[in-house]
Amino acid sequence: MDKIEILFDEKKINSRVKSLAKELYKKYGDEEVVFVCTLKGAVFFACDLLKNYPGDARMEFLRVSSYKGIETTGTIEMNLSISKENIQKKHVVIVEDIVDTGYTLSFLNEYIMKMKPKSLITCTLLDKKIKRVTDIEPTYTGFVIDDLFVIGYGLDCDGKYRNLPYIGYLKK
Ligand code: IMP
Ligand code: MG
């Protein structure tokens, strides 16, 4: 096993996820919200976020990929889509694991907007702000991080490490 430096432990993640869920509930109150989880990376975050969200929630899944190893390819592939009736005229929250260049989030935003939601916002657990090349900004962010390739809590490196309960990075 490679040496991993922990950035956010379970306790820290849990408390931030709880406060994000609270903020979102404050925003929507009793209105129904469709949470769109992007597979596979955001799955742990989306599940924990929804478990802590006391309001009227639905869950949808999208699958997109842009990374090979630790490099972004810039081209986004969609492998799983959502049908329009699950989005149209609904409040939608895109749930992402991490925003890096912003290509993926821009792509997802455009894709959902075409289905005419009542409103659309984004909620990402992590934001690598300094790497942004698009002008998209997530509406809600768990933690802003430096330019590190992070793993754990759903985030992978070539499919590995998603099952770690914390978020860390590989030490060289
Ligand atoms: P973007 O399109 O460059 O913003 O990249 C976003 C996607 O790339 C995320 O949804 C992740 O799936 C993946 N990604 C970006 N940075 C990392 C990282 O540090 N660790 C693991 N996956 C990452
Ligand atoms: Mg992702």
Side-chain angles (χ1 to χ4, degrees), residues 2-19:
D2 303 289
K3 185 103 182 73
I4 297 164
E5 189 75 30
I6 297 179
L7 272 181
F8 307 108
D9 61 17
E10 270 186 276
K11 209 172 146 207
K12 201 147 187 196
I13 297 170
N14 282 339
S15 98
R16 188 65 188 118
V17 172
K18 275 187 184 151
S19 68

Side-chain angles (χ1 to χ4, degrees), residues 94 99-110 122 127 129 132-139:
I94 295 174
V99 182
D100 185 2
T101 60
Y103 286 133
T104 307
L105 196 58
S106 304
F107 176 92
L108 293 169
N109 232 38
E110 258 175 55
T122 56
D127 185 357
K129 245 186 190 354
R132 198 83 82 258
V133 298
T134 56
D135 54 15
I136 194 149
E137 288 304 330
T139 323

Side-chain angles (χ1 to χ4, degrees), residues 24-122:
L24 288 167
Y25 182 56
K26 228 199 274 159
K27 177 176 171 64
Y28 295 109
D30 294 332
E31 293 204 66
E32 185 186 84
V33 181
V34 181
F35 290 86
V36 175
C37 168
T38 58
L39 297 173
K40 301 173 186 170
V43 76
F44 287 49
F45 174 44
C47 290
D48 286 343
L49 188 69
L50 265 87
K51 279 194 282 178
N52 285 287
Y53 185 81
D56 190 354
R58 285 170 186 265
M59 207 175 189
E60 294 292 334
F61 296 90
L62 275 178
R63 172 131 196 240
V64 287
S65 50
S66 68
Y67 263 71
K68 281 237 165 8
I70 62 165
E71 297 293 328
T72 180
T73 60
T75 29
I76 294 148
E77 273 177 52
M78 166 132 13
N79 320 102
L80 177 70
S81 52
I82 306 178
S83 51
K84 192 174 173 177
E85 66 263 27
N86 294 331
I87 297 293
Q88 200 171 28
K89 298 186 186 148
K90 298 189 191 282
H91 292 298
V92 177
V93 179
I94 295 174
V95 182
E96 256 289 35
D97 48 356
I98 186 164
V99 182
D100 185 2
T101 60
Y103 286 133
T104 307
L105 196 58
S106 304
F107 176 92
L108 293 169
N109 232 38
E110 258 175 55
Y111 175 77
I112 298 286
M113 280 312 281
K114 280 189 198 141
M115 294 191 257
K116 308 245 184 308
K118 196 183 217 170
S119 69
L120 175 62
I121 65 162
T122 56

